[in-house]
């Protein structure tokens, strides 16, 4: 029977790739995948459960879909992903209209789960071991045709005291290198020009599987694939930024000079309480080495403000660090206590309004830093990938190597020629708009 299946996928790119694997299995079963919810035989809500805001978003989506079910516009609701893995009892108890709650290890069985729901009118709970989550297999991309995420591992063994990922997804599992390379070739054959490597800890790639850090070798192998023009890395931990990795970024023309270092804090006491490896001096050393070896490197980071024990002195340490280092890209989150983690009931919890104020200070400072950096780009020419065309203003939106899709800035530019989505063009910058650049194509 030709069922209509809808998917709402929330959260990070790792979760998005999981959703793409499920979509491919659904497509293989011969069912129709639709980009709407009304009228669906089954709707999968692939949730994020990392912080409270993500859980709230997931619950809102679930409740909206429940309302459609009550109106007869949706037959079955399946909740999957991280929040399902972490909070199955609460989900079922509080929202009985849900028909299935499944853990990440059940993703590969999504077709049988949907069939059982629709044919037997059953309620399903399925939670096999997390290690049964497939790391490879076919995907239906939900990104534009010219770029794609490429998952190289799943889970995390770092045990940061605020983080639920090890409880949700288990320890780090690296994916076989041949499997990654095979998928990258398939992506290139379909027209993907930029691949973005993701894992919970990308720099740990290979340690569990091969007994050594294999990210530099993986980059070398990926760069040999015809059609791939840009290789980007997210989620790189500072203590595993080796000289070999820096050299590979510097010397490999396909690896963009961009690195995402989620530092979380700069104060040694807070870093220790977070169970982060290394200290501020070591972080400074890594950043200095990156900028010395790769002068045009773009460093992105994220910080958590309001972690337990963060007084005014510790926050001032962070604020001074941010202003001194002048990161190219920066995101700031307020500490969100998660049940079951060591940080949940640590002494020294910070008031919510104080967290919010500190986060605003960091982001205001960062905007000034970015505006200064962007002003220095005026008059320069950058290779830019075309992301979309705006017919209303007869202009284009694109990205340079300095910006990861969906999280960083953009370039708005005009051109006397016509360009396809995914084309690379040279854009000369003549103005800025906060985080974004304004330019025109160099003919």
């Amino acid at each position: 029977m030709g069922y209509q299946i809808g998917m709402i996928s929330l959260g990070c790119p790792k979760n998005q790739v999981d959703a793409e694997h499920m979509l491919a299995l659904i497509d293989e079963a011969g069912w129709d995948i639709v980009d709407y919810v009304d009228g669906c035989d089954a709707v999968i809500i692939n949730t994020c459960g990392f912080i409270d805001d993500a859980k709230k978003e997931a619950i809102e989506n679930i409740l909206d879909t429940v309302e459609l079910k009550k109106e007869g516009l949706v037959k079955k609701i399946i909740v999957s992903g991280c929040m399902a893995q972490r909070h199955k009892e609460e989900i079922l108890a509080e929202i009985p209209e849900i028909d299935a709650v499944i853990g990440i290890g059940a993703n590969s069985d999504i077709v049988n789960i949907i069939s059982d729901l629709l044919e037997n009118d059953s309620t399903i709970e399925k939670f096999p071991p997390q290690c049964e989550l497939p790391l490879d297999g076919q995907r239906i991309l939900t990104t534009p045709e010219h770029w794609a995420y490429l998952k190289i591992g799943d889970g995390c063994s770092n045990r940061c005291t605020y983080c639920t990922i090890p409880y949700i997804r288990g320890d780090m599992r690296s994916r076989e290198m041949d499997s990654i390379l095979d998928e990258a070739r398939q992506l290139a054959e379909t027209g993907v020009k930029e691949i973005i490597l993701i894992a919970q800890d990308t720099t740990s790639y290979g340690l569990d599987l091969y007994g050594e850090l294999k990210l530099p070798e993986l980059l070398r192998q990926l760069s040999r694939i015809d059609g791939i023009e840009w290789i980007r890395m997210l989620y790189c931990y500072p203590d595993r930024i080796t000289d070999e990795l820096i050299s590979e970024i510097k010397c490999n023309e396909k690896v963009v000079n961009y690195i995402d270092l989620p530092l979380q804090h700069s104060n040694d006491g807070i870093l220790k309480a977070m169970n982060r490896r290394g200290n501020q001096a070591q972080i400074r050393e890594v950043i200095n080495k990156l900028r010395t070896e790769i002068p045009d490197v773009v460093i992105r980071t994220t910080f958590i403000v309001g972690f337990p024990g963060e007084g005014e002195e510790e926050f001032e340490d962070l604020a001074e660090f941010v202003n001194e280092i002048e990161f190219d890209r920066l995101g700031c989150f307020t500490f969100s206590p998660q049940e079951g983690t060591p940080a949940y009931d640590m002494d020294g919890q910070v008031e919510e309004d104080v967290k919010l104020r500190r986060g605003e200070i960091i982001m205001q400072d960062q905007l000034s830093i970015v505006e200064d950096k962007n002003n220095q780009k005026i008059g320069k020419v950058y290779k830019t990938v075309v992301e979309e065309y705006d017919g209303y203003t007869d202009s284009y939106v694109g990205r340079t190597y300095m910006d990861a899709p969906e999280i960083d800035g953009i370039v708005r530019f005009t051109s006397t020629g016509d360009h396809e989505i995914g084309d690379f063009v040279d854009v000369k910058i003549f103005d800025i708009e906060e985080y974004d650049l304004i330019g025109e194509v160099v003919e």
Side-chain angles (χ1 to χ4, degrees), residues 306-319:
F307 190 82
E310 185 192 69
E312 287 302 321
E313 183 179 339
E314 289 79 10
F315 174 69
E316 280 301 317
D317 185 326
L318 175 61

Side-chain angles (χ1 to χ4, degrees), residues 265-266 303 305 310 314-322 362:
H265 217 279
S266 64
F303 290 113
V305 292
E310 185 192 69
E314 289 79 10
F315 174 69
E316 280 301 317
D317 185 326
L318 175 61
E320 289 173 10
F321 181 76
V322 166
I362 294 294

